[in-house]
Amino acid sequence: MFSPLIKELMESLRCLPGVGPRSSQRMALHLLEKDRDGALRLAKALIEAAEGVGRCHSCRTLCESQLCDICSHPGREKATLCVVETPSDVMALEQAGGFSGRYFVLMGHLSPIDGIGPDDIGITDLLDRVAEDKVKEVILATNPTVEGEATAHYIAEELKSMGVEASRIAHGVPLGGELEYVDGGTLAHALAGRRKLEL
Amino acid sequence: MFSPLIKELMESLRCLPGVGPRSSQRMALHLLEKDRDGALRLAKALIEAAEGVGRCHSCRTLCESQLCDICSHPGREKATLCVVETPSDVMALEQAGGFSGRYFVLMGHLSPIDGIGPDDIGITDLLDRVAEDKVKEVILATNPTVEGEATAHYIAEELKSMGVEASRIAHGVPLGGELEYVDGGTLAHALAGRRKLEL
């Protein structure tokens, strides 16, 4: 029904996560009817980002320079390193505030079933960096999923043999949540991880 | 927090309808982490469509050739013309099937408040085409909204002075719907538009 160029645009839009046939049609027609400048700007941004963005040489996050803003910031402590799975996790932690150390972005997690081993998530680089920067504490902030936990454990074991302290972010009841609606696993973690009230 | 190229990509993705700050971040990181080929393909499709897609010279729909597939199809009757607001409406009617005439796409509706008058939605072209193709019936399939109704009425008045029959698509209870949940306006239309059962 639509002409080839429009069909190809609809097809290509489906590479975006969460975009199915209906939304891709809506997006394609919106751009063609009302925002061709936006379409051209998006095309330029896509090409520049796809060709220009690489990895930070220090923390492996996505960025186009050798070092990302955080790794090149002189005020960030080298002695504390927070290990996360993705660049979005860095963003979330930075927005939460309160962390003044540096990050290491695995860009994934261990997943033997998908053939993702320690080398694919840069564990060697991580251990090299820990040794090089004389890191005192590594905070493991991988996701609280089976793969995330396994990855955290694997890294903790490796660090133990190097004599470096590893900690895991706390799991428990989220702020603003109601106990009634929190799942059993989380509640068990919250109980096991209870802290003495210091009054 | 993100590098300039990534930020620009996130900003540009927001030209897509329904994409806010969270989804644009998710989309940008997904493309950069997992699908750079898809990003480049999308960029190419955007440029080609934004630069190549024009309007069908006969029905005004979006297409890159002089005449769209429907207007250039010899089997479609010229005597019946269906007037719709957007190319998606043509798609919806074609998928429903049962119409063998041709279309005229207004690419909008009358909206004095936004400064959209008859010339902006090609009413002159429509009337020229009705005269040229000796159209017998014009089916007004604009949306059942205030603007769509006003547009249908305006066109019907113009056609009346030319002595051409105009009809409006039926409004009523949608198939599969439950009467209980249908709004009052639609029910009133459904009652007023009742048809004698021919047994």
Side-chain angles (χ1 to χ4, degrees):
Chain A
M1 230 73 74
F2 290 110
S3 61
L5 289 183
I6 306 182
K7 265 187 217 153
E8 166 60 17
L9 177 56
M10 286 176 187
E11 277 296 311
S12 324
L13 279 164
R14 298 200 39 198
C15 71
L16 298 171
V19 175
R22 298 284 307 178
S23 349
S24 71
Q25 181 181 321
R26 186 164 148 246
M27 287 173 169
L29 294 175
H30 170 87
L31 290 178
L32 291 173
E33 283 168 28
K34 290 181 193 140
D35 197 6
R36 298 206 182 201
D37 289 343
L40 291 174
R41 181 185 166 197
L42 174 55
K44 190 163 161 274
L46 281 164
I47 293 170
E48 285 180 354
E51 288 173 353
V53 172
R55 297 272 184 90
C56 169
H57 285 223
S58 173
C59 76
R60 279 171 54 99
T61 196
L62 292 168
C63 83
E64 62 262 28
S65 36
Q66 278 232 317
L67 289 178
C68 71
D69 283 0
I70 295 175
C71 288
S72 56
H73 195 295
R76 311 282 306 212
E77 295 161 24
K78 283 191 170 184
T80 322
L81 193 67
C82 182
V83 177
V84 295
E85 292 185 21
T86 66
S88 322
D89 298 335
V90 175
M91 186 75 174
L93 285 165
E94 284 296 296
Q95 279 176 341
F99 180 68
S100 58
R102 303 196 173 200
Y103 294 93
F104 188 88
V105 184
L106 300 172
M107 301 294 283
H109 46 232
L110 288 180
S111 180
I113 229 169
D114 305 312
I116 300 174
D119 286 344
D120 302 304
I121 58 171
I123 302 280
T124 323
D125 295 350
L126 170 62
L127 300 177
D128 286 352
R129 180 152 164 215
V130 166
E132 210 171 285
D133 286 358
K134 300 190 181 65
V135 172
K136 291 205 181 109
E137 184 186 358
V138 174
I139 303 173
L140 299 166
T142 51
N143 288 328
T145 56
V146 176
E147 292 90 351
E149 292 291 348
T151 309
H153 267 93
Y154 181 89
I155 298 173
E157 291 285 339
E158 296 287 316
L159 290 170
K160 199 178 167 188
S161 62
M162 291 171 70
V164 176
E165 197 182 323
S167 59
R168 182 92 175 97
I169 47 165
H171 296 157
V173 180
L175 294 192
E178 288 185 57
L179 229 58
E180 191 179 345
Y181 301 112
V182 172
D183 67 292
T186 304
L187 275 182
H189 265 291
L191 275 175
R194 67 188 179 278
R195 286 169 160 227
K196 202 164 184 173
L197 278 175
E198 279 156 36
L199 297 171
Chain B
M1 231 71 72
F2 291 110
S3 62
L5 288 183
I6 306 182
K7 266 188 214 151
E8 167 61 15
L9 176 56
M10 286 176 186
E11 276 297 309
S12 324
L13 279 164
R14 301 204 34 200
C15 71
L16 298 171
V19 175
R22 296 286 304 181
S23 351
S24 70
Q25 180 182 323
R26 188 165 147 246
M27 286 172 170
L29 294 176
H30 170 87
L31 291 178
L32 291 173
E33 284 168 28
K34 291 182 193 138
D35 197 6
R36 298 207 182 198
D37 289 344
L40 292 174
R41 181 185 166 195
L42 174 55
K44 189 163 161 273
L46 281 164
I47 294 170
E48 285 180 356
E51 287 172 353
V53 173
R55 297 274 184 90
C56 168
H57 285 222
S58 173
C59 75
R60 280 171 53 96
T61 196
L62 292 169
C63 82
E64 63 262 25
S65 36
Q66 279 231 315
L67 289 178
C68 71
D69 284 1
I70 295 174
C71 288
S72 57
H73 194 294
R76 312 282 305 212
E77 295 161 24
K78 283 191 169 184
T80 322
L81 193 66
C82 181
V83 178
V84 294
E85 291 185 22
T86 66
S88 321
D89 298 336
V90 174
M91 187 74 176
L93 286 165
E94 284 295 297
Q95 277 176 340
F99 180 68
S100 57
R102 301 194 175 202
Y103 293 93
F104 188 87
V105 185
L106 300 171
M107 300 294 283
H109 46 231
L110 288 178
S111 178
I113 230 168
D114 304 312
I116 300 173
D119 286 344
D120 302 304
I121 57 170
I123 302 280
T124 324
D125 295 350
L126 169 62
L127 300 177
D128 287 353
R129 180 153 163 212
V130 166
E132 211 172 281
D133 286 359
K134 298 189 182 66
V135 172
K136 290 204 180 110
E137 185 186 356
V138 174
I139 302 172
L140 299 165
T142 52
N143 288 328
T145 55
V146 177
E147 293 89 352
E149 293 289 348
T151 309
H153 267 93
Y154 181 89
I155 299 172
E157 290 286 338
E158 296 286 315
L159 291 171
K160 200 178 166 188
S161 63
M162 290 171 72
V164 177
E165 198 182 321
S167 60
R168 182 90 175 100
I169 47 164
H171 296 157
V173 179
L175 295 192
E178 288 185 57
L179 230 59
E180 191 180 345
Y181 301 111
V182 172
D183 66 292
T186 304
L187 275 182
H189 265 291
L191 275 174
R194 67 188 180 278
R195 287 167 160 231
K196 203 165 184 172
L197 279 175
E198 278 156 35
L199 297 172

